[in-house]
Each structure stands twice: as C-alpha cells, then as structure tokens.
Amino acid sequence: MISWDFGEVKKAQQDADYAQTTLNEITLDSPATGSEHQDSLDEKVAKITKAVSDIAQILGFIQEGIDGADSAFREIDDTNKADIEASARYLESSQREPT
C-alpha cells in the first residue's frame, strides 16, 4: 500500500529548503599561503565551491519535486474523497424504499 504522510513530506520540504539555504550561504576563500602550490590550492577551492553550488541547486530541484508530488497527491486525495462521498450517497439513495 502506498501512503502519503503529509507531516513527513512537510519535514522533507523544510529540510531541503534549510540545506539549500545553508549551502547557498557558504563562501569559500583560498587563503594566500605564498606557497608555490597556491595555484593548485585556488583551483581546488574553486572546484569545491562549484560542487557546493551544484549541490544547493540539486536540493532546489529536489524540493520542487517534493512540492509537485505533494500537490499531486493532495489533488488525487481530494478527487478520491469526492468520488467516495458520491458513491456513498448513491448507495444510500439506492437502498431507500421508493416513496
């Protein structure tokens, strides 16, 4: 059985948003070491910065996916509820004695 726990979904949305915000706020600087390896250090810090940025962007896409799935589940849930209520009304009216 597939179930949709709206509390867990909300927490996942909040967690993804928090992680994305946190990663977007990170700034990495390459300290000036005066070493002959400064260029290599700068290159590695730039790659790490790009990776952090990419991960933040991915988290944004994950959050959009969760939001879309949540919206679809809620819409389907509302439709199913309406169908069940209509079915119950039909069953009730079909079992009444004709007047």
Side-chain angles (χ1 to χ4, degrees):
M1 176 173 95
I2 296 174
S3 65
W4 194 253
D5 185 321
F6 295 109
E8 287 183 18
V9 171
K10 183 69 173 169
K11 183 171 178 352
Q13 289 168 321
Q14 291 169 342
D15 289 349
D17 181 54
Y18 175 76
Q20 182 184 22
T21 300
T22 300
L23 288 174
N24 279 330
E25 292 174 353
I26 290 176
T27 55
L28 299 174
D29 295 317
S30 177
T33 63
S35 165
E36 64 183 85
H37 304 289
Q38 183 69 47
D39 290 341
S40 178
L41 176 61
D42 292 343
E43 182 182 326
K44 289 182 182 356
V45 169
K47 286 180 180 180
I48 292 169
T49 301
K50 170 118 175 56
V52 168
S53 176
D54 290 349
I55 292 168
Q57 184 178 19
I58 291 166
L59 283 166
F61 295 145
I62 289 170
Q63 185 177 9
E64 287 177 20
I66 292 170
D67 291 348
D70 184 48
S71 177
F73 268 91
R74 287 178 185 270
E75 185 178 317
I76 290 168
D77 194 44
D78 290 344
T79 300
N80 288 341
K81 179 183 176 191
D83 290 346
I84 289 168
E85 288 171 348
S87 176
R89 285 191 302 273
Y90 174 78
L91 179 62
E92 182 182 307
S93 68
S94 69
Q95 292 177 346
R96 287 189 194 140
E97 295 289 328
T99 56

